[in-house]
Amino acid sequence: MVLQLCEITAGLVAYLEPSMLELYGGKCDLPDHYRVKDIHPFVCLEADQGTSIWTVLSSKYLERRLRIPTEMKIGHPHWIAKDNFLAHPTQVWYGSDWAFVESSVQELSLVQQRNHIHLDYIAQLAQICRMPSREQVLACRSMLTHIE
C-alpha cells in the first residue's frame, strides 16, 4: 500500500522505485551506472519539513556490507527474519517526501504494519552513509514549491 506523507519518519523501510524517485525530483549523487535500477527496500535516515534522506538496503551479502541486526528491526515477521544489509554508504537518495510517496507504488505493507529499523541504529547508519549537504536537501524543498 502506497506510503502516506505523514508516515515518512526516520527508520521507515519501504520498497521504492528509483526511476519514479528521479521522475519526481529525487536525487542521488552517484553516477547513473552505480545507482540501483529496480525496486529495492530503502530506509529513511532523516525526515524534516517535507524532505527526507534515504539509503538503499540489499538482501545480498557482500563482504563489506553492513548487516542490519535482527534485533534492530520492527515489523512483519518476514522482514525481521530476512537478512538485510546496507547496500553501500554512497547509495543515498534525497528529495521531497512527495517523491518518496510517489515512488512507493509497489509497497505491499499496510499502514498499520510498516517495517522499521530502530532509531538508535538509524543514527549509526547515518554516520556511515555519505549524507547530502543541507543545501542540497533545501534545494529539493525549493524545487518542490516550484512544482506545486
Side-chain angles (χ1 to χ4, degrees):
M1 182 169 218
V2 175
L3 295 178
Q4 305 298 307
L5 282 172
C6 62
E7 293 181 277
I8 296 182
T9 57
L12 176 65
V13 174
Y15 281 82
L16 304 176
E17 189 172 337
S19 62
M20 294 290 285
L21 258 174
E22 289 182 299
L23 181 66
Y24 289 99
K27 304 278 186 202
C28 179
D29 294 332
L30 289 176
D32 188 53
H33 59 278
Y34 286 118
R35 299 180 201 167
V36 293
K37 303 290 184 236
D38 300 323
I39 296 167
H40 265 74
F42 284 64
V43 61
C44 181
L45 298 173
E46 185 179 299
D48 183 39
Q49 298 179 358
T51 57
S52 49
I53 302 169
W54 299 63
T55 192
V56 181
L57 300 177
S58 176
S59 60
K60 295 182 179 136
Y61 169 78
L62 290 176
E63 187 176 328
R64 294 181 152 194
R65 285 190 175 162
L66 177 67
R67 183 176 173 272
I68 309 298
T70 302
E71 62 273 12
M72 292 294 136
K73 296 176 168 185
I74 305 163
H76 192 278
H78 181 71
W79 151 250
I80 293 171
K82 185 178 179 181
D83 273 342
N84 290 97
F85 306 88
L86 176 64
H88 197 277
T90 60
Q91 186 73 242
V92 175
W93 292 72
Y94 58 96
S96 71
D97 290 347
W98 182 65
F100 292 95
V101 166
E102 292 296 323
S103 68
S104 71
V105 294
Q106 298 294 324
E107 176 58 41
L108 298 177
S109 67
L110 301 174
V111 174
Q112 307 85 346
Q113 299 175 319
R114 299 287 192 209
N115 297 318
H116 287 82
I117 294 176
H118 280 282
L119 288 179
D120 292 343
Y121 203 71
I122 291 300
Q124 292 178 37
L125 286 178
Q127 288 179 346
I128 294 167
C129 289
R130 184 172 48 182
M131 301 290 274
S133 70
R134 183 58 45 207
E135 291 77 22
Q136 288 172 296
V137 177
L138 290 174
C140 288
R141 189 176 306 147
S142 156
M143 189 174 91
L144 178 64
T145 58
H146 293 300
I147 293 173
E148 296 175 331

